[in-house]
Amino acid sequence: MRASQRLGICGLCLFLLAIPDRGSPDLESTARAAEQAGPSLHVNGARLRQTLEKLSEFGRPAGATFADGVTRLGFSEEDLAAREYVMGLMRAAGLDVRVDPAGNIFGRRAGTEDLPVLLFGSHIDSVPNGGNFDGDVGSLGAIEVIRAMNEHGVRTRHPLEVVIWTNEEGHHFGKGLFGSSAAAGLLSPDVLERRDEQGLSIADWLHRYGQDPARFLEARLPPNYFVAYLELHIEQGGILDREKIPIGVVEGIVGIHWYTCQAHGFANHAGTTPMDQRRDALAAAAKAVLAVREEVRREPGRQVGTVGYMKVEPGARNIIPARVEFPVELRDLDAAKIERIWERIQQRFQQIEREESVRISCTLLSSDRPALTDPAIRQAIRQAADSAGLRFLDLPSGAGHDAQQMARLGPVGMIFIPSRGGISHSPQEFSDWEDIARGAEVLYRTILLLDRNPPPR
Ligand code: HGY
Ligand code: MN
Ligand code: MN
């Protein structure tokens, strides 16, 4: 990890109080006031925490507590209810709220000039049995920034838009970054026919989200829609926590390939079929899992590969498994490396087919390109952290984010805060409330800096 760690002025302590600015109307002095505010926060950490704790109730298991995490899948009743709560927060903050044909929620705050927007936000859907911070911190942190600007009488040149992306995790329907992909014009309408375990299609869910699937392609944002896209997010890894550094300046976001594979064997009697006459789909799939891990480890670097589940049929202890479905997920900052590793994995699968007399077939479910963040936005984030007296560290993102789809449309930046123990996609996912407030403060200050000096096109 290139630790371009630069120490900012180390603030002695942070005040979790909104320091009332005397409402200076002009932009220059407002932004400068923010920069010169030192470690005091403009955002209200206690208020932000309260909204995050309320959001965590949508999809919390019955009888559970905050610490038990959440299941709030994109395109689910829990997500639908949570969206109403979040849109209520946006309206209460004075934002003009609209929902696009892919279900993405936008909340607009007028600027003083007719300019492209400064866009910032994240997602509120979760993985199954996930945590209460992934996506939520950036989504509700963005709304807290708007409230803080209202309280401080801040006007910006650029219109500001908070965005809540639909179905970022993609657990439903196997298309991650769904809403931001639609906004980037990367999805064709045939994706709407994908069905979930209840037999409902994405089109059915879009109707439930108040949208007309026939207008799906209108979700694509026009060219030059934003001058910069920013996303505050938990790191989901352990670097910042281990280094005890509160702010991460994201260098780039990994590409992610999702494949779905099937091992096709032959069901037969477990007692009467000799061991050398079996076509055992599960034994073949087990070899395939280890082959994925070996091929990912075969070359140096940060690449990762995962087989997250197996579905075995018919699934009885006295029948030789006939069919096994398993996913393969590959990630790296280098798309060519992902392809190279996948080639090697497929060769290993062909060898397993010969050894086990089992056919293995795989289809590409989705692939999202890696994305580098914008240097000028990275510098603005460093400057914002510095002005708040916060140390920062440049680092890559091993997690995928909506920002990587927005990078197709314009300059993006991401601000990370530490994840305790590097744990995420788990009920044990946790970030300190002070770190969350600090992250929102850096988002606040970065927006003001970019408003005055937007990144070059
Ligand atoms: O899977 C990911 O990297 C992200 O959390 N959706
Ligand atoms: Mn996320
Ligand atoms: Mn996630």
Side-chain angles (χ1 to χ4, degrees), residues 123 134-135 168-169 233 236 400-401:
H123 64 95
D134 175 359
E168 187 272 350
E169 296 293 358
H233 204 286
Q236 299 183 286
H401 297 287

Side-chain angles (χ1 to χ4, degrees), residues 11 13-21 33-49 144-145 148-149 151-152 246-247 384-385 387-390 432-445 448:
C13 62
L14 293 171
F15 307 95
L16 287 176
L17 300 172
I19 305 293
D21 184 330
E35 279 187 78
Q36 289 156 6
S40 54
L41 301 187
H42 296 79
V43 297
N44 183 319
R47 180 172 58 196
L48 174 51
R49 171 175 181 170
E144 175 56 31
V145 162
M149 286 187 176
E151 283 172 346
H152 289 77
I247 297 295
S387 73
L390 298 172
D432 289 338
W433 297 107
E434 290 74 17
D435 283 339
I436 293 170
R438 290 179 182 128
E441 178 66 21
V442 171
L443 178 62
Y444 178 101
R445 295 183 187 213
L448 293 185

Side-chain angles (χ1 to χ4, degrees), residues 65-70 127-134 234 236-237 241 418-432:
T65 66
F66 181 89
D68 298 313
V70 73
V127 293
N129 205 31
N132 285 309
F133 301 86
D134 175 359
I234 59 172
Q236 299 183 286
D241 185 46
S419 293
R420 187 180 289 174
I423 298 170
S424 182
H425 282 189
S426 155
Q428 295 179 51
E429 176 183 284
F430 188 82
S431 289
D432 289 338

